[in-house]
Amino acid sequence: MPPLQRFTVTTVIGFIALFAAVHLASAQIKIGSVLSVSGPASFLGDPEKKTLEIYVEEINAKGGVNGQKLQLIVYDDGGSADNARTFATRLVEEDKIAAMVGGSTTGSTLAMIPVFEDAKIPFISLAGAIQIIQPVRPWVFKTPHTDKMACEKIFADLKSRNLTTIALISGTDAFGKSMRDQCVSVAPNAGINIATEESYGPRDSDMTPQLTNIRNKAGVLAVVNPGFGQGPAIVTRNYRQLGITLPLYQSHGVASKQFIELAGPAAEGVRLPAAALLIADKLPANDPQKPVVVDYSRSYQQKTGQAVSTFGGHAYDGLMILVQAMQRAKSADKAKVRDEIERTKGYIGTGGIVNMSPTDHMGLDLSAFHMLEIKGGDWTLVPGT
Amino acid sequence: MRTLLETRLLPAIVVAVIVVILPYFFPSAYYFRVGALVFIFALAVVGLNLLMGFAGQVSLGHAGFLGIGAYSVVIGPVYFGLPSWLCVFVGATVSGAVAFLVGRPILRLKGHYLAVATLGFGLLVAIVLTNEAGWTGGPDGMSVPRLALFNWQVRGSDSWYWIAGATLVGGFVLALNLMESPTGRALQAIHDSEIAALVLGIDVARKKLTIFVISAMYASVAGSYLALFNGHVTPDIAGFLRSIELVAMVVLGGMGSIVGSLVGAAVLVVLPQALTIFHEYEQALLGFILMVFMIFLRRGIVPSVAATFAGRRK
């Protein structure tokens, strides 16, 4: 073997031995996770992974759960449902985990569900779509609110302002599409009439034609924009450029400071639903979620140096719901833990107050969302929401 | 025994032996899953290798055919009530037909133009799968009805290991026979020198088209298997990255080496699994290892190693 090859081989073997040693040294309750840490969905997976690591360490420092330390095993699916499925099999067959918290995207979650259902292992997903918990599957739970709830929250606000005829303009990305479908399906029940609909591609840079169509449509009283990323910011700018004065509603998908920066002064007066986490400092002192979200924001910012996102919050909720269920079950027995997760009542998390039941494996209601209005370049809480 | 070793089907026989022996070393179903994935990807890579290694054409959109195959075993059973096994063939036929239509104009292009045109094709398939949500379930994908053969519900990783392994051996036999056929020899002539092949009276465009259709059908069957095996399919199966992954498997294993297809697929499926112990560094290490392979084994793993042994024997 030439020297360079010999060196490489020795180094690699050395590394493997070192990491294997670190791996074997710790822990008893194994918690598995498959997250999209890299790839197109890394904005979800990255904060989720950091959150799980921070809190598993914190829990272990306080003595673990039921006297046993937690061991977290995270795999990166790179945003591919196929990889997620392989890692799920690996967690079940090789790592023999007691419970699973993870699945950043709906696609990867749906691909992993059969693995955990077959193995009878509690699975708390961090992905959004309602298909994950509807129909209810015995072993599958989720922490994030659904798009459907965001639609309902927006529609409730529209209804209270008597703006019942609206136009919809949505992105064709996964988020925009899923939310648009939910909005269309809940609109009749909410007493909202969708008069016209437009869409745009995730990388479009000008939505003036679609918005012109909406402006020319008679009877429209407000515009709702289910979308994610920079699309909604462009919609907002074009909206003002065209001089449209109808109230504009954005979705929880853009509930970040970045949106206000991108849209600039055009964002003034835009309303959107958002989880408590984003407005931790704006919540009234008597809000039950206030201590939780302030505490989580502080820890996360301190440990990572980055701003919090709701996605990391979903991971926090998933882990805490699981840990509390294990404490109530006084063991890590899969069936007992599953039963206890289902009995979760009054858990106060970053996403809202969770009350699960055999028919509801998410346990959030509309109070999980707060209606925000952008004023002076910052969020303000809309009173009464 | 001597004739057996000298037959051109030797690689297929070796693969058959590997498929049969490996499970004795498998401690759990997870290994069966990884094994099945290797075989499924190897099937697609064999097809792509015929195109790249023998016909000398690069396709950057091959995952498009994986996508067609994958979604045909969803759309067929769900919307038309067709049995899944039949849809594997329907998907292959559709892929072949699409490849024929797309390939006719595209394969007259040369060099980078062809690569760009196939790249466009692959992206188009991914866009259609994402946007035609009424048929495909959109970006979140659809769950795939399980394969039923006669009265046997195929679900376990071990069942799929055997199905994929058997199909791969079949794929090897087909590819090896094809290479020894007049078409195969014509293709190698095209690969060596297109002008010389033309002078010899070979219909270059037509031969390229034939091999493009065949390689699309290989990819389609692999896509169908992948969808049936996973039980859920999302548009990322047809994504650009998947196409690149297939090309990387061909190059890594060795262009023009049928056995190399299996080796390339095995390395790129198994390596990410093995590297997970390095956590944050796994992507960087994966890149590093691939670079080392390409620097020291420039012609791909199998041809380079074979050349080394041949050199020593002298």
Side-chain angles (χ1 to χ4, degrees), chain B residues 15-294:
Chain B
V15 171
V17 172
I18 293 174
V19 170
V20 174
I21 291 180
L22 268 185
Y24 290 101
F25 302 98
F26 285 172
S28 77
Y30 159 65
Y31 289 83
F32 278 97
R33 177 171 167 91
V34 174
L37 282 175
V38 169
F39 296 153
I40 291 172
F41 278 108
L43 192 62
V45 175
V46 167
L48 186 57
N49 209 338
L50 290 176
L51 184 71
M52 284 176 65
F54 294 100
Q57 309 297 313
V58 180
S59 167
L60 291 179
H62 235 56
F65 297 114
L66 275 184
I68 292 176
Y71 276 85
S72 62
V73 294
V74 187
I75 291 173
V78 171
Y79 297 105
F80 302 105
L82 298 172
S84 299
W85 61 267
L86 182 64
C87 293
V88 175
F89 293 100
V90 173
T93 314
V94 172
S95 291
V98 171
F100 183 78
L101 289 176
V102 172
R104 267 184 82 91
I106 284 184
L107 287 167
R108 292 185 186 277
L109 306 172
K110 278 180 199 160
H112 300 315
Y113 298 105
L114 178 80
V116 172
T118 50
L119 171 67
F121 163 75
L123 291 178
L124 266 178
V125 173
I127 291 172
V128 168
L129 293 178
T130 308
N131 287 338
E132 291 304 313
W135 287 94
T136 64
D140 289 337
M142 280 177 90
S143 72
V144 184
R146 290 201 195 269
L147 177 66
L149 287 174
F150 309 105
N151 287 322
W152 179 42
Q153 281 269 329
V154 186
R155 51 187 300 149
S157 292
D158 46 348
S159 316
W160 273 107
Y161 176 87
W162 296 113
I163 293 174
T167 312
L168 180 65
V169 172
F172 260 62
V173 170
L174 274 177
L176 292 164
N177 277 330
L178 185 72
M179 280 308 100
E180 296 296 324
S181 72
T183 303
R185 292 183 203 285
L187 284 170
Q188 290 181 30
I190 295 170
H191 183 50
D192 291 340
S193 163
E194 221 174 293
I195 296 168
L198 265 175
V199 172
L200 287 172
I202 295 170
D203 185 347
V204 172
R206 200 189 145 145
K207 293 289 179 201
K208 282 188 197 165
L209 186 58
T210 311
I211 209 73
F212 189 53
V213 169
I214 292 173
S215 78
M217 292 170 88
Y218 268 89
S220 176
V221 172
S224 297
Y225 278 21
L226 198 57
L228 288 166
F229 181 32
N230 281 337
H232 187 84
V233 62
T234 55
D236 67 51
I237 193 170
F240 175 58
L241 285 176
R242 195 36 68 78
S243 291
I244 296 298
E245 206 180 343
L246 292 177
V247 172
M249 286 172 179
V250 171
V251 176
L252 191 67
M255 283 209 274
S257 163
I258 301 283
V259 182
S261 307
L262 176 61
V263 175
V267 169
L268 278 179
V269 172
V270 175
L271 207 52
Q273 293 290 326
L275 291 177
T276 50
I277 50 170
F278 296 103
H279 298 290
E280 280 83 5
Y281 305 103
E282 60 175 281
Q283 305 285 344
L285 262 173
L286 181 63
F288 174 73
I289 292 174
L290 294 187
M291 271 166 59
V292 169
F293 270 132
M294 289 329 292

Side-chain angles (χ1 to χ4, degrees), chain B residues 1-18 169 172-173 176-177 258-259:
Chain B
M1 193 63 199
R2 206 176 159 75
T3 47
L4 193 66
L5 281 176
E6 277 169 4
T7 161
R8 64 166 181 259
L9 292 181
L10 180 64
I13 296 165
V14 172
V15 171
V17 172
I18 293 174
V169 172
F172 260 62
V173 170
L176 292 164
N177 277 330
I258 301 283
V259 182

Side-chain angles (χ1 to χ4, degrees), chain A residues 34 36 77 79-82 84-85 102-113 123 127, chain B residues 140 232 234:
Chain A
V34 178
S36 307
D77 65 26
S80 145
D82 173 43
R85 173 96 177 206
S104 301
T105 65
T106 301
S108 65
T109 297
L110 292 176
M112 291 192 288
I113 282 176
F123 174 19
Chain B
D140 289 337
H232 187 84
T234 55

